[in-house]
Amino acid sequence: MPDLHRPRALGVESPRDTTSAEATPGRSPSWSDQEIDLGRYSSALGRRWKVILVGAVGGAAIAFGAASARPILYEGVTSLLVAPPARPSPTGGSFPITPATFKAVLESQSIAAAVIQETGLNQAPHNLTPQSFLERALVVEDERGANIVRVRVRLREPAVAADASRRVAAKAITLTRQLTEQEGTSIQQQLGRHLTDASQRLAAAERELLAYQQEAQIELLKEDSQALLDERGELLKLVISIESEKARLQAAEAEIKKQERFLSVRRALGAEEALRRTDQTTDVLDPSNAFINPVYQSLDYQIATSRAKLAGLDQQRRQLVEVRNVAGKELTKLSELYRRQIELARLQSTFDLAKRIHGELVVRFEESRTQALGNSAQLQVVSDAIPPDRPMARRRGQWSALGFITGLLAAGLVALLLESRGVAPRE
């Protein structure tokens, strides 16, 4: 006869359950046949309530004891404000100090090593290392929506905790200022090198421009070229004069061929005076011989004068054309003037560019002396840490509640495990 008081193990079907759970031949088990029976699990947990209660209470007790055994700590808090830069950087190259980056600066091991060395935290009874100080004693928090960073240091002595918090904040401010100054120094050094190079280029361009101006003598060459252009205009007038004189000579030579040198009759009385009044060339007439033709004598004089004048004009033209070479298609001096003007313009442009770059670098170098501080965020102490008058709460109630829930869950799992193995509960 079966024992009706013996509990069945979880997952073991009774004969009636087995019969009811038997599948009909030719039909596969449905989803409802595989459902979990929650009532069976609740019944099993109800039969093991003592185990569950002991586990929950034990977990709460252990958590309460652990919270009570924690050392008594005091917290020193220093609040810092990350002030925005006074003016934005035009290049965006300043050191970006935000609450997040400042948090990384505060958690530097170099700062931690200096603080524990100055406050004696590296000695007994603390025996803290930079790594353990960062992991156990220092907490850096940045508030959302505000540029506020809080430096929390938790130690057993309230005065030491406050002092360590103030030292960490002060060293972080000093470090960020050093970074800003180093950035400004680096920019000044770079600008200084560029300024030195620009000064050298400016001096070289000035020397080259001055030497070429002294050698080229553009103004003198320009005057010579202008004189050549004037002579070229005079050459045209001279050619016209020569052609006119040639035409006059040809006309006089043609006319003299038509005249007789001597007259067949004697000149009339008073003809000399009339000829003198009408033509000044009659000054060369020979009054001693009344049979000389005055027209012939006048034309002969004009021919001689024209030939002499034509010889002089031709000599001037030859001087201008052959010696001065003002009749060619290209004037050598004018071509040289153009070349020197182009070279002078190039040197002048190089000098002007070097001068402008040098002036801009001088201005930027002077601005870089104070630009780094104005373009970087500044850190300010909002409130210094003071020694706390009471320790930090050890939160025994919260830890006990957490231990109770943990023990309850663990005991429930143990109860289900015992029920599945068929272990009978003790009465």
Side-chain angles (χ1 to χ4, degrees):
M1 183 175 182
D3 189 0
L4 299 177
H5 297 284
R6 183 176 182 178
R8 292 171 297 178
L10 293 177
V12 179
E13 299 289 345
S14 63
R16 185 177 60 183
D17 296 336
T18 304
T19 304
S20 62
E22 288 180 356
T24 305
R27 183 176 65 88
S28 59
S30 62
W31 179 82
S32 60
D33 297 335
Q34 301 176 1
E35 289 183 352
I36 299 176
D37 192 355
L38 296 179
R40 184 177 304 167
Y41 285 102
S42 61
S43 300
L45 293 176
R47 286 190 294 272
R48 304 288 179 171
W49 65 272
K50 293 183 179 179
V51 175
I52 295 174
L53 180 60
V54 170
V57 174
I62 292 173
F64 182 83
S68 300
R70 294 177 61 188
I72 299 176
L73 299 178
Y74 294 87
E75 184 180 62
V77 182
T78 301
S79 299
L80 297 175
L81 172 65
V82 182
R87 58 179 182 272
S89 175
T91 59
S94 60
F95 179 69
I97 300 181
T98 61
T101 55
F102 184 51
K103 182 178 179 180
V105 174
L106 282 166
E107 294 175 348
S108 171
Q109 289 195 2
S110 60
I111 294 179
V115 170
I116 63 175
Q117 180 70 28
E118 293 175 1
T119 56
L121 295 176
N122 56 343
Q123 301 175 0
H126 303 282
N127 296 325
L128 292 178
T129 62
Q131 187 67 29
S132 61
F133 177 80
L134 295 176
E135 293 177 353
R136 293 185 291 175
L138 180 64
V139 177
V140 180
E141 297 177 351
D142 54 327
E143 295 186 2
R144 290 185 177 181
N147 294 334
I148 298 295
V149 178
R150 302 192 187 278
V151 183
R152 303 179 183 272
V153 177
R154 298 168 181 175
L155 297 172
R156 297 182 180 180
E157 292 84 3
V160 177
D163 184 37
S165 177
R166 291 193 297 267
R167 290 178 181 272
V168 170
K171 292 185 178 300
I173 294 175
T174 303
L175 179 59
T176 53
R177 289 179 178 175
Q178 290 177 355
L179 293 176
T180 303
E181 292 176 357
Q182 290 176 2
E183 180 199 14
T185 303
S186 176
I187 293 176
Q188 289 183 11
Q189 291 176 354
Q190 295 178 7
L191 289 176
R193 290 193 294 269
H194 292 310
L195 183 59
T196 302
D197 296 340
S199 300
Q200 294 176 357
R201 289 195 299 268
L202 178 60
E206 184 178 2
R207 289 194 301 268
E208 188 175 359
L209 177 61
L210 182 59
Y212 189 79
Q213 284 179 339
Q214 294 175 351
E215 177 185 358
Q217 297 181 354
I218 301 294
E219 298 299 328
L220 181 60
L221 185 59
K222 187 181 297 184
E223 293 181 0
D224 293 343
S225 300
Q226 185 63 41
L228 288 176
L229 293 176
D230 295 340
E231 290 177 356
R232 194 182 185 93
E234 292 178 359
L235 177 62
L236 179 59
K237 297 179 181 180
L238 183 60
V239 171
I240 295 174
S241 299
I242 291 174
E243 295 299 326
S244 299
E245 196 65 31
K246 284 182 178 181
R248 184 178 180 183
L249 177 60
Q250 291 176 359
E253 288 177 348
E255 186 64 27
I256 199 172
K257 292 178 180 180
K258 299 177 182 180
Q259 300 292 330
E260 295 292 336
R261 184 174 182 180
F262 298 99
L263 297 175
S264 58
V265 294
R266 186 183 179 87
R267 289 197 300 265
L269 296 176
E272 296 291 337
E273 189 65 25
L275 289 174
R276 293 178 187 276
R277 288 197 301 266
T278 57
D279 195 348
Q280 294 181 356
T281 60
T282 56
D283 291 338
V284 298
L285 294 177
D286 187 6
S288 61
N289 191 350
F291 291 94
I292 295 178
N293 188 354
V295 177
Y296 183 90
Q297 194 175 11
S298 177
L299 290 174
D300 186 53
Y301 175 77
Q302 290 182 8
I303 290 172
T305 304
S306 295
R307 286 176 179 175
K309 184 177 181 181
L310 187 60
L313 294 176
D314 189 63
Q315 183 63 28
Q316 291 181 9
R317 182 186 64 81
R318 189 180 301 110
Q319 183 72 18
L320 292 176
V321 173
E322 297 178 1
V323 179
R324 302 287 290 175
N325 194 23
V326 298
K329 293 183 179 180
E330 294 183 359
L331 296 179
T332 305
K333 285 187 175 295
L334 201 58
S335 300
E336 181 66 18
L337 174 64
Y338 295 154
R339 187 190 67 80
R340 294 185 182 183
Q341 284 179 339
I342 293 174
E343 182 66 17
L344 181 62
R346 185 187 67 82
L347 295 176
Q348 185 68 42
S349 177
T350 303
F351 173 75
D352 294 340
L353 179 60
K355 185 177 181 180
R356 185 173 68 252
I357 293 176
H358 180 268
E360 292 178 356
L361 286 175
V362 169
V363 174
R364 293 188 61 183
F365 181 78
E366 295 299 329
E367 290 179 350
S368 65
R369 299 177 183 273
T370 58
Q371 188 175 13
L373 295 177
N375 293 338
S376 301
Q378 300 296 321
L379 301 176
Q380 301 176 359
V381 177
V382 177
S383 62
D384 279 325
I386 59 176
D389 54 357
R390 60 174 178 268
M392 296 178 59
R394 288 183 281 187
R395 300 179 180 178
R396 298 176 183 177
Q398 296 179 3
W399 284 102
S400 299
L402 180 61
F404 181 83
I405 295 174
T406 304
L408 183 65
L409 295 176
L413 292 177
V414 172
L416 293 177
L417 181 62
L418 294 175
E419 190 70 19
S420 64
R421 294 184 177 181
V423 181
R426 296 180 180 180
E427 298 293 338

